[in-house]
Amino acid sequence: MSRGGFSRPVAMEDGEAHMRRAIELAERGRHRVMPNPLVGCVLVRDDEVVAEGWHDHIGGLHAEQMAIADAESRGVPTQGTTAYVTLEPCNHFGRTPPCTESLLWAGVSRVVIGALDPNPTVRGGGSEALLEAGVVVESGLLEEDCEGQMAAFMHWCRHRRPLVTLKASTDSEGRIDVPPTEPPRRFSSDRSLELAHEIRAGSMAILVGVGTVIRDDPSLTVRGPGIGPRDSPTRVVIDPDNRIPPHSKLMTQGDAPTLIVQSSETDSSGDLHHVERVVIPEREIPVARVLDMLGDRGVQSLLVEGGADTWSRFLSEEAVDRARICISPIDLGGSGPVFRSSSLRESGLVLTSEEDCSGDRVEWWSKEHSE
Ligand code: AOF
Ligand code: ZN
C-alpha cells in the first residue's frame, strides 16, 4: 500500500482506502459467518497496511483478532497502530473473547470504525471501553458501505425481523408461469438460475405459499458453482389449511429444515425430523406475524419466492425490503397470473439497478428509505 513518496495532506482519503480494504477483506466470510455480520479489519502504521484480518467463519476469530494474529505471525509490531474495522469492536465474551481486550493488549492506539454495532449484547460498549482505556476512537467512516455489506444483520438487530427480498421470474409479458395445461418448465437463462442460487445461499430462510409446493414441488435447496458448504436455508411454507402434499420434496427430503406455518393444529405424527409446524391461529395468516415469528428464531434474511398470492400479500403489507425481478425475452403465452412492477412501486420500492443476465433482464428494487 506504499504510495511511493506521494504526500497527501488530508488523512481522510487514505483512511477511506484503508476502510475499503477492510470491506474487501470482509467479503471473504460471505456465506460462512451467518448469522454473524461480515467484518474486516486492517492495522495501519504510517499510512501503510501492516496486517489484515476478517471474520472468516462462524466460531472463528473476529476480524480484529485475526489482524492481530496476522501481525504476530509475521513478527510485525502492533504497538501504536491504527485499526480500521468495518464494525464496532465487540466488548463481550461470545464465541471469542472481547475484541476490545485484544486491541488493548496489542497496543493499538487509534480505532476507526465503519458502523456501530446495534447488537444489544455489544451496543456502545466497544467504543466506550476503548475510549476509557485512552484509545482514540472515530466512527462513521464509509458507514453506508459497511452497513450495506451487513444489511441483514443490521436490519434484524434493529427490527427483530428478517430483511425480506422478493424474487420473481417472468416472461416478456410479466407472466410467471406456463399455461396450467402445460407441465412446469424453466424459462430463465442458466446464468439467471445460477444467480438465483447465489441469492438463496445468502438467505437464512426461503418462503413459498403452499400453492407453489402443490404445483411445482420445489426442493428449495442451494446448489451451484461458487457456493461453498453452508447450512441450507430453512424452507418456510405458508399453509393455512394444511394442504401440503405429504409426498412433496419439502416433506420427504431432509436436506434442509422445513417449517410449515398453519392456522390450526393438525396431526403431525407422520412428519419426518426435518419438518416443524407452527400455528398462527388466524384464517388469513398476517405477514407481520410470520416475520415476527421468524425474527424470534433469529432469521435475519428471508427470500420470498412466490407464488403470485404470496408476493401480493407481502407487497400489500409493505413487508418487502428488496426485490429481484428476472425478465426473460421468451413469450410463454396463455392467460395465467402476471407479476407487475407497478406493485413494487405501490409498495414503496424503487428500481435501483438493472443488469443483463445472458439475455434475461434482471431488475433490482429496494425500499426507498430502508436501513
Ligand atoms: C467484532 N468483530 O469480526 C465480528 C463482530 O458469537 P460471536 O462471539 O462470534 O459474536 C458475534 C457478535 O459479535 C455479532 O453478533 C456481532 O455483534 C459481533 N461481531 N464483532 O468485534 C467481528 N464479527
Ligand atoms: Zn469481536
Side-chain angles (χ1 to χ4, degrees), residues 160-361:
R160 289 283 145 173
R161 281 185 178 183
L163 184 80
V164 175
T165 303
L166 180 153
K167 175 168 107 35
S169 300
T170 76
D171 78 347
S172 58
E173 308 306 307
R175 292 186 200 92
I176 60 168
D177 220 332
V178 293
T181 47
E182 293 177 25
R185 70 178 163 103
R186 299 242 156 98
F187 52 88
S188 300
S189 73
D190 286 350
R191 177 65 199 128
S192 297
L193 293 169
E194 239 175 75
L195 191 67
H197 276 282
E198 275 169 45
I199 298 169
R200 277 187 186 171
S203 306
M204 290 178 68
I206 303 173
L207 182 144
V208 291
V210 71
T212 298
V213 182
I214 293 168
R215 170 145 173 78
D216 297 345
D217 191 18
S219 61
L220 303 179
T221 49
V222 173
R223 48 199 185 266
I227 296 169
R230 60 146 296 198
D231 292 339
S232 283
T234 299
R235 305 169 294 190
V236 183
V237 186
I238 304 292
D239 183 17
D241 306 318
N242 190 33
R243 292 195 298 139
I244 191 162
H247 298 295
S248 59
K249 290 182 183 143
L250 296 188
M251 294 301 277
T252 56
Q253 296 181 354
D255 341 40
T258 296
L259 182 63
I260 304 171
V261 187
Q262 49 195 45
S263 293
S264 56
E265 297 281 355
T266 49
D267 176 21
S268 57
S269 55
D271 290 352
L272 297 178
H273 283 307
H274 69 283
V275 177
E276 191 187 345
R277 294 173 188 263
V278 175
V279 174
I280 296 181
E282 309 256 2
R283 225 178 57 75
E284 297 248 310
I285 296 172
V287 169
R289 294 281 297 275
V290 176
L291 296 181
D292 285 339
M293 182 271 294
L294 293 174
D296 286 346
R297 290 167 171 251
V299 174
Q300 296 176 359
S301 46
L302 176 70
L303 187 64
V304 177
E305 293 221 7
D309 288 345
T310 305
W311 289 323
S312 79
R313 298 284 301 281
F314 270 77
L315 287 169
S316 64
E317 290 199 34
E318 300 196 351
V320 176
D321 301 294
R322 296 171 171 189
R324 177 236 182 218
I325 314 299
C326 177
I327 303 154
S328 157
I330 294 170
D331 184 341
L332 291 171
S335 55
V338 293
F339 181 85
R340 303 233 171 271
S341 42
S342 55
S343 64
L344 296 172
R345 253 182 229 106
E346 283 155 18
S347 188
L349 290 112
V350 290
L351 182 64
T352 51
S353 68
E354 281 181 83
E355 62 184 300
D356 175 81
C357 214
S358 307
D360 292 350
R361 191 173 86 243

